[in-house]
Amino acid sequence: MKQFSNQSYNTAGLFTLAIRLVVGWTYFSAFWRRVALANKLNPEEAGYIGEKFNHFLPNALGIKPIIEYLVLNPDALWWAMVIFTIVEGIVGLLIMLGFFTRLMSIGVFFLAMGILLGSGWIGTTCLDEWQIGVLGIASGFTLFLSGSGHYSLDKLLMDKNYAFTGTKWFGFLGSGILPLKNLKPIVLFGSLAIFSLTLFTNQYFHGGVFGTLHNKSIKPKLELSQASFSNNTLEFQVYRVEGVDVYGSFLIGLELMDSHGKTILSLNGTDLSRFPAEQINNHYVAKIKPGVHSLIIPLGAKADISIPLNETGNNPNGRHVLKLTDISGLTWEINVN
């Protein structure tokens, strides 16, 4: 009976070889891109992975406080990105090699869970990050059940008849017989739980099960708050919470109007491209900054902006309205007190 069980698990592990190789490469390639092909772990260079991580913040599910803590603390963020990259490299490589497959499949499961909860809402075409997350979770669960069969280091160790490969702990962490009784309810419960998570996150992030579909990665959206006058200076906070993650919102207009609709301050794209950096207090690693033709606001960036009003000859009092204009034509307004 034991021989039959071993053969069954070896066959199951063989059948999941393609999943092992592809899933392993998706994680190992992240390590490879950041370390060998490009230096994406340098905070001073374009493409820093920490800034990409910052893009997840506005609509992350459940782990937003963790993300915000890290992007508020650049040193901790750098260490987290380094550790995350190393873990992805180890998990991806060892899954491909089939070495301690079940332990590595747990790594796949939690890496995919992090991707899903953090960035499942991002994706301009095919809900990219959500698909990566849910498929990674399902693959991790499947690989834990199957382990590795032929064409794996686990199988090589078992064929060598090392004593530890016959132990229960190796069954849980490596491959071979999974030492659990009555697997049917475990498989059913786990599969239904993952399917339920899939439906829930599809609906939560994208409205993909019922109601109105929505995609927060199509149009930029700015949230304006804390708009006030202080010492003849206009102060406000801007936070970009939606839109494409690979490029910023390009702000080409800023207007301040009084209660009669009269414009008392107007900045165009050229003005904003020369906006003084010292008047921008960025909160996170994704930074609002002047660009060639506009003020650039990356996804997830939040900053306090201050604009002296001395040049307007206006002593602001009463109700005012601040209006920001994106290059796409979208506008956002807030009352200024």
Side-chain angles (χ1 to χ4, degrees):
M1 184 67 180
K2 184 177 180 180
Q3 181 63 36
F4 174 78
S5 297
N6 267 321
Q7 183 59 41
S8 297
Y9 275 101
N10 287 336
T11 302
L14 174 64
F15 288 169
T16 56
L17 177 61
I19 295 176
R20 227 179 66 215
L21 295 176
V22 172
V23 169
W25 177 251
T26 61
Y27 290 102
F28 182 77
S29 66
F31 166 85
W32 189 249
R33 288 194 310 272
R34 294 174 205 156
V35 176
L37 302 183
N39 188 0
K40 294 182 177 292
L41 292 174
N42 186 346
E44 304 303 321
E45 292 191 9
Y48 172 47
I49 185 62
E51 187 168 340
K52 173 70 174 178
F53 189 69
N54 194 158
H55 296 164
F56 301 167
L57 176 61
N59 298 290
L61 174 61
I63 60 173
K64 186 181 292 188
I66 298 173
I67 298 175
E68 184 164 30
Y69 172 81
L70 292 174
V71 297
L72 281 170
N73 296 274
D75 290 341
L77 174 64
W78 183 82
W79 277 109
M81 295 300 96
V82 168
I83 293 170
F84 187 79
T85 297
I86 292 172
V87 170
E88 283 188 306
I90 292 172
V91 168
L93 179 62
L94 296 189
I95 276 286
M96 287 190 290
L97 294 175
F99 185 64
F100 281 89
T101 303
R102 291 194 172 113
L103 177 61
M104 295 303 110
S105 73
I106 296 172
V108 168
F109 184 93
F110 283 106
L111 287 171
M113 183 69 76
I115 292 171
L116 175 65
L117 298 181
S119 60
W121 63 280
I122 295 177
T124 57
T125 54
C126 298
L127 316 185
D128 314 333
E129 304 290 345
W130 174 77
Q131 289 180 338
I132 292 171
V134 294
L135 289 174
I137 290 171
S139 297
F141 180 65
T142 300
L143 289 173
F144 180 82
L145 295 172
S146 70
S148 292
H150 300 281
Y151 315 117
S152 71
L153 292 182
D154 281 348
K155 181 65 166 60
L156 179 63
L157 293 175
M158 289 187 289
D159 287 346
K160 295 291 186 180
N161 291 317
Y162 288 113
F164 67 84
T165 61
T167 61
K168 182 176 291 188
W169 69 262
F170 185 80
F172 278 117
L173 303 180
S175 295
I177 299 174
L178 184 60
L180 291 173
K181 295 181 179 179
N182 198 5
L183 278 171
K184 286 184 179 180
I186 295 174
V187 173
L188 178 62
F189 175 80
S191 299
L192 291 178
I194 292 171
F195 184 56
S196 298
L197 179 66
T198 299
L199 294 180
F200 170 72
T201 52
N202 190 207
Q203 176 64 28
Y204 181 86
F205 289 133
H206 305 289
V209 180
F210 59 84
T212 304
L213 283 170
H214 55 266
N215 190 334
K216 296 179 180 179
S217 296
I218 301 299
K219 298 178 181 179
K221 179 182 178 182
L222 304 183
E223 290 184 353
L224 304 178
S225 62
Q226 302 178 26
S228 63
F229 296 113
S230 177
N231 299 321
N232 209 36
T233 297
L234 169 64
E235 297 178 344
F236 64 95
Q237 186 175 95
V238 59
Y239 181 27
R240 182 172 163 217
V241 296
E242 293 183 16
V244 180
D245 59 315
V246 293
Y247 58 82
S249 170
F250 302 102
L251 207 64
I252 60 168
L254 183 152
E255 290 180 88
L256 179 64
M257 296 164 284
D258 64 16
S259 57
H260 303 292
K262 177 184 176 183
T263 299
I264 63 172
L265 173 67
S266 179
L267 302 178
N268 58 27
T270 301
D271 299 324
L272 292 168
S273 71
R274 300 169 182 167
F275 196 87
E278 61 270 17
Q279 292 174 209
I280 305 172
N281 179 27
N282 283 292
H283 291 218
Y284 307 139
V285 294
K287 300 185 184 302
I288 298 174
K289 57 187 177 182
V292 177
H293 303 292
S294 64
L295 190 67
I296 301 175
I297 308 179
L299 181 60
K302 178 191 284 188
D304 300 314
I305 308 292
S306 60
I307 305 175
L309 298 176
N310 297 331
E311 299 177 0
T312 67
N314 180 74
N315 186 18
N317 55 68
R319 180 179 177 273
H320 287 68
V321 175
L322 173 66
K323 178 180 177 181
L324 303 184
T325 303
D326 182 75
I327 195 171
S328 66
L330 293 170
T331 61
W332 302 272
E333 295 183 0
I334 186 172
N335 292 331
V336 186
N337 300 314

